């Protein structure tokens, strides 16, 4: 029993017992060797050797005994020192070894754990903690590294703080401190005049200030005792059971650490809860208004939230926006008791930063008249997350729309440009219809570029990334950019001499830069300077801008700046949205910046905009620095040799063409037959499998659409390859890169040809597949 031993006596531990056994064993062996050497009939040389060994063992025994004695004295010194340190401590204290074995404990520990103290601290604390071993291991590991550690734990007996100090290597001092009463007596909310309680995760009441005890008439254990009609919700009126009967209160909830929350109860009618300490001491942002919305009083927390220095003659409607109707109507309805107790999310009219608040109005009727209490909660983080979610949903919806439009539109463009190619084969430049056909062909290409912008915005286009030096890319593009900006605008380039390489699609990056330069030119109708600056930037910590976080690392930045009219602040966050433009009708599609945004995000970069009206705009692009990875060199085949190999296969081969769009199928079939191929047509995957059911039929290449009614292209091809392995495949689709499911394995020996494709692109792709098949 723990009560029968001294609180500061060391119990026998394994280390001491093993040391004593070791000393006795060595001493016994030494004595035995010496006796054998002199009592038995042993030659003198052997007797002297055994005597030497025995004496050596005796010396070792003495050293071990001395070391054990010193260790015992050290333990005794530690114990005596700690005894004076913790004997009068009002909290339970324990001294343990590395394994958690209890060496000593103070009288308060004996009193607190009289019936549950065991040989280890984990077993002792099991009466108050559900899993003490994990908590003790976590704290002891931290103490080994930092010297001390502590943690607040909410237990079934209340709130305790468990702390540990490493006194000497292998010895730890633990304190188990009850903190509920200490918090209740010293926390600032105790002196607050507004009723407040603190609850845990499961609704257990951990703390009640004096105002709440006066209102309720004593302490309660659970939140359900206060609100038997239903749970209390933040920002809503709820019926609370007080000592004088049911009372309607407005609940304001504030989350704290470790799953705790603080609930403040704002009565709809004045209730006496004890001595008042002043409006400014309330830990909740609050205002007092007259029925017209004029601010009568505001506490310090609210002043800081609103960014106010003086509230004299200030109307609350001047500080907030976004209600959707006159705020004066909202105040009048609340003062008359006609408005529901509903919170509104409003945006503060602050110029230094964007802040959203949740505002709840409550009518208060007193002898002096009717006033309105406004309770504010900072909802900036909530609205930011909501805005990010809405933006992602909007982008996803428009991306799906863009993909659907691209598929159907690319089918039409394939048929238009394809049949135009067929007509051009029968007309030369001297024909009067040749110019009209060229116009049709060029406009079809422009329409295809527009669809490509939609795919770029939705991040579903096919990128061809390569290692790029920004200086070389801009040097190649300078001539075209100078032609775009005209004579009134000066284009200036500035490069970091230590610029690093990036990995991106060169053609798409050039499109982004051209879009930004054209926008900068249009923003300066009277002329000016456009500056393009590059720099290598190293971020040691994450960079947060415009709700985006750039991780640490090396980045290449490109800044495109102008001296134009600028962008108004209320439009600055919308410039990357599709179809949004500040230009007049007919001057822009609203897809330039959204396309740039999609390209940069698909490349793994970031784009930000800064603008000051009448002073200019700066777009900043961030690209991750590319780290070169050594790859085995591939054999280089000249284009002449490749073309010879492809030309040799012209007209040789059987092609199975599967396309559900009749105009596209007709064009592709005619184009392939003109090259001399044998073409078998099918309008669906099921028809294609019926054609292949003839075992005597040899097919060299499958040319198939990806998305079709019924079975899609990859599915029927996988089925066909079971009987015809090694057949080459050409997939075509208007969905571009997003046509295939990422969860499925790629089809072997296949290539992808995005729509719209020309006659030459189709025939050359088929030739390359036939050449690859013959080489294999």
């Amino acid at each position: 029993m723990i009560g029968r031993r001294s609180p500061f006596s060391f119990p026998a531990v394994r280390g001491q017992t093993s040391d004593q056994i070791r000393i006795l064993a060595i001493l016994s062996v030494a004595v035995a060797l010496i006796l054998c050497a002199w009592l038995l009939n042993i030659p003198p040389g052997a007797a002297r050797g055994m005597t030497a060994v025995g004496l050596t063992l005796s010396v070792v025994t003495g050293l071990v005994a001395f070391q054990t004695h010193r260790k015992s004295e050290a333990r005794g010194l530690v114990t005596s020192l700690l005894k004076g340190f913790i004997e009068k401590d009002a909290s339970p204290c324990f001294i343990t070894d590395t394994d958690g074995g209890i060496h000593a404990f103070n009288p308060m520990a004996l009193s607190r754990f009289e019936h549950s103290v065991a040989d280890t601290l984990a077993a002792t604390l099991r009466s108050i903690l559900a899993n003490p071993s994990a908590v003790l291991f976590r704290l002891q590991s931290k103490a080994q590294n930092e010297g001390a550690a502590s943690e607040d734990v909410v237990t079934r007996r209340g709130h305790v703080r468990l702390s540990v100090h490493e006194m000497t290597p292998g010895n730890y001092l633990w304190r188990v401190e009850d903190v509920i009463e200490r918090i209740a007596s010293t926390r600032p909310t105790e002196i607050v005049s507004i009723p407040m309680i603190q609850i845990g995760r499961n609704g257990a009441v951990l703390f009640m200030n004096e105002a709440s005890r006066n209102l309720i008439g004593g302490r309660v254990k659970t939140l359900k005792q206060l609100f038997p009609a239903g749970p209390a919700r933040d920002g809503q009126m709820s019926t609370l059971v007080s000592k004088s009967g049911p009372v309607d209160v407005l609940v304001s909830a504030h989350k704290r650490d470790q799953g705790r929350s603080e609930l403040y109860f704002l009565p709809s009618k004045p209730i006496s809860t004890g001595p008042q300490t002043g409006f400014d001491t309330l830990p909740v942002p609050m205002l007092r208004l007259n029925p017209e919305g004029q601010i009568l009083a505001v506490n310090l927390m609210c002043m800081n939230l609103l960014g106010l220095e003086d509230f004299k003659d200030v109307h609350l409607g001047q500080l907030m926006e976004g209600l959707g109707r006159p705020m004066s109507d909202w105040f009048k309805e609340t003062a008359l008791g006609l408005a529901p107790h509903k919170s509104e999310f409003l945006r503060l009219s602050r110029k230094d930063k964007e802040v959203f608040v949740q505002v709840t109005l409550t009518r208060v009727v007193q002898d002096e008249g009717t006033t309105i209490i406004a309770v504010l909660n900072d909802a900036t983080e909530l609205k930011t997350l909501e805005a990010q979610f809405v933006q992602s949903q909007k982008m996803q919806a428009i991306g799906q729309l863009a993909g659907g439009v691209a598929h159907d539109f690319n089918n039409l463009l394939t048929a238009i440009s394809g049949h135009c190619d067929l007509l051009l084969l029968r007309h030369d430049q001297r024909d009067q219809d040749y110019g009209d056909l060229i116009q049709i062909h060029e406009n079809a290409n422009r329409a295809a570029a527009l669809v490509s912008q939609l795919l770029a915005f939705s991040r579903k286009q096919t990128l061809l990334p390569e290692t790029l030096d920004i200086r070389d890319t801009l040097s190649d593009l300078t001539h075209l950019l100078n032609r775009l900006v005209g004579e009134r605008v000066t284009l200036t380039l500035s490069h970091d001499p230590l610029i690093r390489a990036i990995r991106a699609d060169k053609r798409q990056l050039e499109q982004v830069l051209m879009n930004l330069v054209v926008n900068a030119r249009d923003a300066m109708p009277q002329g000016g300077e456009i500056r393009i600056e590059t720099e290598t930037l190293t971020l040691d910590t994450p960079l947060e801008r415009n709700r985006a976080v750039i991780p640490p690392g090396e980045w290449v930045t490109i800044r495109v700046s102008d001296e134009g009219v600028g962008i108004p602040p209320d439009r600055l966050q919308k410039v990357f949205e599709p179809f949004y433009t500040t230009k007049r009708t007919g001057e822009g599609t609203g897809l330039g910046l959204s396309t740039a945004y999609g390209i940069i995000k698909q490349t793994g970069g970031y784009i930000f905009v800064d603008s000051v009206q009448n002073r200019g705009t700066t777009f900043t692009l961030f690209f991750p620095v590319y780290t070169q990875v050594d790859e085995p060199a591939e054999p280089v085949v000249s284009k002449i040799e490749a073309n010879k190999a492809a030309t040799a296969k012209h007209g040789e081969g059987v092609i199975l063409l599967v396309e559900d769009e009749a105009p596209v199928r007709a064009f592709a079939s005619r184009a392939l037959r003109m090259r001399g191929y044998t073409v078998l047509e099918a309008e669906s995957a099921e028809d294609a499998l019926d054609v292949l059911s003839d075992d005597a039929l040899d097919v060299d290449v499958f040319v198939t659409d990806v998305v079709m009614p019924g079975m899609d292209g990859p599915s029927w091809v996988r089925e066909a390859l079971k009987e015809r392995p090694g057949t080459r495949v050409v997939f075509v689709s208007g969905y571009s890169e997003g046509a295939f499911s990422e969860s499925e394995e790629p089809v072997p020996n296949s290539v992808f040809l995005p729509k719209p494709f020309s006659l030459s692109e189709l025939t050359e792709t088929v030739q390359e597949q036939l050449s690859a098949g013959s080489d294999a």
Side-chain angles (χ1 to χ4, degrees):
M1 292 292 291
I2 190 67
R4 296 180 181 176
R5 58 179 178 174
S6 170
F8 289 95
S9 62
F10 280 99
V13 293
R14 293 189 302 269
Q16 291 175 298
T17 304
S18 59
D19 288 344
Q20 295 172 356
I21 295 175
R22 191 180 302 112
I23 293 172
L24 292 175
I26 296 174
L27 185 59
S28 300
V29 172
V31 172
L33 290 175
I34 295 174
L35 291 176
C36 290
W38 298 104
L39 298 179
L40 300 178
N41 188 13
I42 297 176
R48 287 193 297 272
M50 294 182 66
T51 302
V53 172
L55 293 175
T56 301
L57 291 176
S58 299
V59 173
V60 171
T61 303
L63 292 176
V64 173
F66 177 75
Q67 185 178 5
T68 303
H69 179 69
R70 288 287 303 274
K71 190 182 297 184
S72 177
E73 287 183 346
R75 283 199 183 97
L77 178 62
V78 170
T79 303
S80 61
L81 290 174
L82 291 179
K83 179 177 180 179
F85 181 71
I86 67 175
E87 183 176 9
K88 302 300 183 181
D89 199 316
S91 298
C93 300
F94 299 89
I95 302 172
T96 68
D97 57 19
T98 305
D99 297 330
I102 297 176
H103 291 173
F105 48 87
N106 67 350
M108 183 56 68
L110 182 64
S111 175
R112 172 73 181 273
F113 299 97
E114 181 178 359
H115 302 291
S116 57
V117 172
D119 291 336
T120 64
L121 185 59
T124 302
L125 298 183
R126 193 166 287 117
S127 61
I128 62 172
L129 298 179
N131 186 17
S133 299
V135 178
L136 295 177
F137 176 78
R138 181 167 61 248
L139 290 174
Q140 184 170 304
S141 299
K142 187 175 181 181
Q144 288 175 347
N145 297 327
E146 303 178 6
S150 65
E151 183 173 326
D152 289 355
V153 183
V154 179
T155 71
R156 49 179 171 264
R157 291 187 180 181
H159 186 185
V160 299
R161 176 170 299 154
L162 189 61
S163 58
V164 57
H165 296 263
E166 186 178 23
M167 307 303 295
T168 59
N171 290 285
Y172 299 90
L173 172 63
W174 297 83
R175 298 181 75 247
V176 183
E177 183 182 3
D178 293 316
V179 295
I180 290 182
E181 293 301 324
R182 186 177 64 83
I183 291 178
S185 61
T186 61
R187 62 183 300 147
T189 50
E190 180 60 70
I191 64 173
V192 173
S193 60
I194 189 171
M196 188 281 300
I197 66 172
Q198 185 184 85
I199 61 173
R201 290 189 181 91
N202 299 323
V205 177
L206 305 178
F207 167 74
M208 299 173 63
N209 70 349
E210 183 179 357
S212 65
R213 293 194 297 269
N214 292 336
L215 172 64
I216 298 167
R219 293 184 178 273
V220 293
K221 294 183 178 180
T222 64
L223 193 62
K224 192 174 181 180
Q225 293 178 258
L226 298 178
F227 299 96
R233 300 188 183 278
D234 182 30
Q236 296 184 8
M237 297 296 295
S238 301
T239 302
L240 179 144
V241 177
S242 69
K243 63 181 180 181
S244 58
V247 176
D248 290 334
V249 294
L250 176 66
V251 180
S252 178
H254 297 266
K255 290 186 178 180
R256 303 303 182 195
D257 56 353
Q258 299 181 1
R260 299 190 299 271
S261 300
E262 290 180 354
L263 301 183
Y264 294 86
F265 305 137
L266 309 176
S268 58
K269 297 181 181 180
I271 297 175
S272 177
T273 58
Q276 303 297 308
T277 59
F279 190 64
D280 285 345
T281 62
L282 297 178
V284 180
M286 296 180 63
L287 304 98
R288 189 183 300 275
L289 313 171
N290 64 13
E292 287 74 34
Q294 198 80 16
I295 297 179
L296 303 178
V298 55
N299 66 357
L300 293 177
M301 285 195 69
C302 193
M303 292 276 283
N304 295 331
L305 180 61
L306 296 176
L308 281 178
E309 295 181 359
D310 185 14
F311 62 89
K312 185 178 180 181
D313 298 329
V314 177
H315 193 279
L316 187 60
Q318 300 172 348
L319 305 176
M320 302 177 184
E321 57 188 24
L323 182 63
R325 63 190 182 102
M327 294 192 68
S328 58
D329 294 346
W330 187 27
F331 299 142
K332 291 178 182 178
E333 292 175 2
T334 302
L336 296 174
L338 302 177
H341 295 286
K342 177 184 176 183
S343 299
E344 297 287 353
F345 288 90
L346 304 176
R347 183 180 182 274
L348 295 185
S349 303
R350 294 185 60 163
K351 297 182 179 180
D352 56 340
K353 60 181 179 179
E354 186 178 50
V355 179
F356 290 90
V357 291
Q358 180 186 14
V359 183
T360 306
L361 301 183
T362 303
R363 182 180 67 158
V364 177
V365 181
Q366 296 176 327
D367 296 337
E368 296 82 4
T370 301
T371 57
I372 299 173
I373 295 295
V375 180
L376 278 59
N377 284 322
D378 189 348
T380 305
E381 184 177 357
L382 175 63
K383 296 299 289 186
T384 299
L385 293 175
E386 180 183 348
Q388 291 176 345
F389 175 75
V390 171
Q391 183 72 3
S392 65
Q393 292 291 98
K394 180 169 60 177
M395 294 295 186
Q396 181 180 1
I398 297 179
Q400 291 175 347
L401 174 63
V405 170
H407 176 260
D408 294 337
F409 203 56
N410 280 332
N411 278 329
L412 298 175
L413 290 176
T414 302
I416 293 172
S417 61
H419 285 89
C420 185
D421 287 342
L422 294 174
L423 287 173
L424 285 172
L425 293 177
R426 301 199 299 269
H427 295 75
D428 56 23
Q429 296 184 3
R430 294 171 296 178
D431 196 315
Q432 61 179 359
D433 295 331
Y434 185 82
D436 296 334
L437 292 174
I438 290 296
Q439 285 293 324
I440 295 173
H441 192 272
E442 290 181 353
N443 282 279
N445 289 337
R446 289 183 59 190
L450 181 62
V451 176
S452 176
Q453 285 186 314
L454 288 174
L455 289 173
F457 158 71
S458 59
R459 308 181 208 175
K460 293 182 178 180
Q461 64 175 339
T462 302
L463 294 181
L464 302 175
E466 56 183 300
T467 304
L468 300 177
D469 188 320
I470 294 297
R471 293 170 294 189
D472 296 338
T473 302
L474 287 171
S475 177
D476 297 339
L477 197 61
T478 301
H479 180 66
L480 177 59
L481 293 179
N482 281 321
R483 290 180 56 190
L484 287 174
V485 299
E487 299 178 354
R488 301 175 117 187
V489 176
T490 303
L491 183 65
T492 304
L493 275 70
S494 175
H495 295 300
D496 184 346
L498 301 177
I499 199 73
R500 301 285 299 277
I502 65 172
R503 186 145 179 95
D505 187 315
K506 182 178 180 181
R507 181 176 59 87
Q508 298 293 345
L509 180 58
E510 290 175 347
Q511 180 183 351
V512 170
L513 295 173
M514 285 191 292
N515 282 338
L516 297 179
V517 169
V518 167
N519 286 342
R521 177 204 65 188
D522 294 342
M524 299 185 296
Q526 304 302 322
E529 181 185 14
I530 299 176
R531 298 180 305 278
I532 302 179
E533 301 170 306
T534 63
E535 182 185 6
T536 299
L537 182 65
T538 301
L539 297 179
D540 298 325
T541 58
L543 175 63
E544 184 172 353
R545 282 202 57 184
N546 300 345
R547 302 171 182 169
V549 179
I550 305 178
E554 290 188 299
W555 298 84
V556 172
T557 63
I558 305 176
R559 283 189 296 273
V560 181
S561 307
D562 63 61
E563 301 171 341
V565 296
I567 304 173
D570 58 333
R571 299 183 180 182
L572 200 59
Q573 301 299 326
K574 301 180 180 179
V575 295
F576 296 117
E577 295 184 4
F579 309 111
Y580 180 83
T581 179
T582 57
K583 301 178 181 178
R584 291 177 295 181
T585 303
E587 294 184 354
T589 62
L591 286 175
L593 289 178
S594 62
T595 299
Y597 179 87
I599 292 172
I600 292 172
K601 295 301 289 184
Q602 193 173 358
T603 308
Y606 299 84
I607 180 171
F608 303 104
V609 57
D610 300 286
S611 184
V612 179
Q613 283 190 278
N614 301 320
R615 293 183 59 183
T617 302
T618 299
F619 285 88
T620 306
L621 285 59
F622 284 78
F623 295 95
V625 169
Y626 176 68
T627 304
Q628 185 68 39
V629 179
D630 295 332
E631 297 179 355
E634 297 181 357
V636 179
V637 180
S638 67
K639 291 186 177 180
I640 298 177
E641 294 177 354
N643 290 335
K644 285 182 179 179
T647 305
K649 299 296 181 181
H650 253 319
E652 300 177 8
V654 179
I655 312 299
L656 175 58
L657 176 63
V658 186
E659 173 62 62
D660 62 308
E661 291 285 340
V664 178
R665 188 172 67 252
F667 151 66
S669 177
R670 286 181 59 187
L672 292 172
R673 287 194 176 100
M674 288 177 61
R675 294 294 186 180
Y677 297 110
T678 302
V679 181
L680 305 176
E681 297 183 34
E683 64 178 359
S684 67
E686 292 76 11
D687 291 345
L689 293 176
D690 290 340
V691 172
L692 295 176
S693 61
D694 185 0
D695 296 335
L697 179 64
D698 291 331
V699 177
D700 298 298
V701 178
F702 299 150
V703 180
T704 176
D705 194 5
V706 176
V707 179
M708 296 182 292
M711 187 180 295
D712 60 15
S715 298
W716 83 259
V717 167
R718 289 189 179 92
E719 187 68 25
L721 290 179
K722 294 178 181 178
E723 301 296 333
R724 299 171 182 268
T727 306
R728 317 298 292 188
V729 184
V730 177
F731 287 111
V732 297
S733 177
Y735 277 118
S736 190
E737 188 180 40
F740 297 96
S741 173
E742 297 181 357
S743 61
E744 296 180 352
E745 292 293 330
V747 176
N749 302 322
S750 65
V751 295
F752 182 74
L753 179 62
K755 295 179 181 178
F757 50 79
S758 64
L759 185 150
S760 59
E761 289 174 339
L762 174 63
T763 55
E764 288 174 3
T765 303
V766 172
Q767 289 174 26
E768 291 171 359
Q769 283 293 81
L770 284 170
S771 300
S774 62
D775 294 341

